[in-house]
Amino acid sequence: MKHEVFHHFIQEQRLYKIFSRITKYVSIGFLVIYLYLLFSSSYTASPLIVVINYLAILTSFSGIITFKYFEIPTLLLDVFTLKSAAPFFQLGEEERQFVWRKAGKEDILPASPTPELIIKELYLFDRYPWKRIGRIYSVGYLVVILISVFYLTSVYLENGFQN
């Protein structure tokens, strides 16, 4: 069980790295399209550049949401609701230290920390529900991106960004 819990933590960290990379690449992609449109002489008066601008800004904002979503590992967030029954307490001391450092804490976690200590140190009682906010944002982001890409593609296929 202890190994499964730590494995889940490692998977969560990999997912964070994947989402961060995707956000970066999508943002760079929109930047390239934006620069192309900005410097193409026949395009400068078209309102499509505004769509690309907003998509680039939205994608950059996604980096903040992604960071907040993964800022504190789920193993530690579970301590707030499950107290001593949280999977975090099934980990060995070295694994707990590793998870603790991933939450941005450089100080050493006591050998047998209490749920109250973790909640107090990470301010879990005063934390927004970033996991829920992140899921809602992701759905909204995907809808906006898909509609915008469909719109941009249809305009490009019609007139090649000439208007």
Side-chain angles (χ1 to χ4, degrees):
M1 181 67 173
K2 177 177 96 168
H3 183 66
E4 284 180 37
V5 170
F6 192 68
H7 182 69
H8 179 71
F9 165 74
I10 296 297
Q11 285 180 323
E12 183 179 67
Q13 294 301 306
R14 285 186 189 138
L15 191 61
Y16 171 60
K17 287 181 183 177
I18 289 169
F19 282 146
S20 295
R21 283 187 192 129
I22 288 171
T23 301
K24 180 171 55 173
Y25 295 142
V26 169
S27 189
I28 290 170
F30 285 133
L31 176 65
V32 168
I33 293 170
Y34 174 74
L35 292 174
Y36 165 75
L37 296 175
L38 184 64
F39 293 111
S40 76
S41 59
S42 62
Y43 179 72
T44 55
S46 177
L48 292 178
I49 202 161
V50 174
V51 173
I52 295 294
N53 242 341
Y54 286 138
L55 290 177
I57 292 168
L58 182 65
T59 303
S60 297
F61 182 72
S62 297
I64 296 169
I65 299 294
T66 302
F67 171 75
K68 293 304 284 182
Y69 186 92
F70 290 104
E71 180 181 29
I72 297 178
T74 305
L75 285 174
L76 290 169
L77 290 174
D78 287 344
V79 172
F80 185 68
T81 54
L82 302 174
K83 307 290 186 220
S84 298
F88 176 75
F89 294 108
Q90 297 172 5
L91 298 175
E93 188 174 338
E94 188 175 310
E95 292 166 329
R96 275 190 258 153
Q97 287 296 335
F98 184 72
V99 173
W100 186 249
R101 282 191 301 275
K102 283 294 184 178
K105 293 296 186 177
E106 293 299 321
D107 54 334
I108 304 285
L109 186 66
S112 53
T114 63
E116 291 75 24
L117 172 79
I118 292 171
I119 291 168
K120 182 178 149 251
E121 287 291 318
L122 296 176
Y123 299 99
L124 297 180
F125 53 85
D126 195 29
R127 183 174 170 76
Y128 287 112
W130 286 107
K131 296 289 183 185
R132 185 167 183 242
I133 292 168
R135 286 186 206 107
I136 292 168
Y137 179 82
S138 295
V139 170
Y141 175 78
L142 287 175
V143 168
V144 169
I145 291 292
L146 291 174
I147 290 170
S148 299
V149 168
F150 177 75
Y151 173 69
L152 290 171
T153 303
S154 67
V155 169
Y156 179 75
L157 292 176
E158 283 179 27
N159 58 19
F161 291 133
Q162 297 302 317
N163 294 334

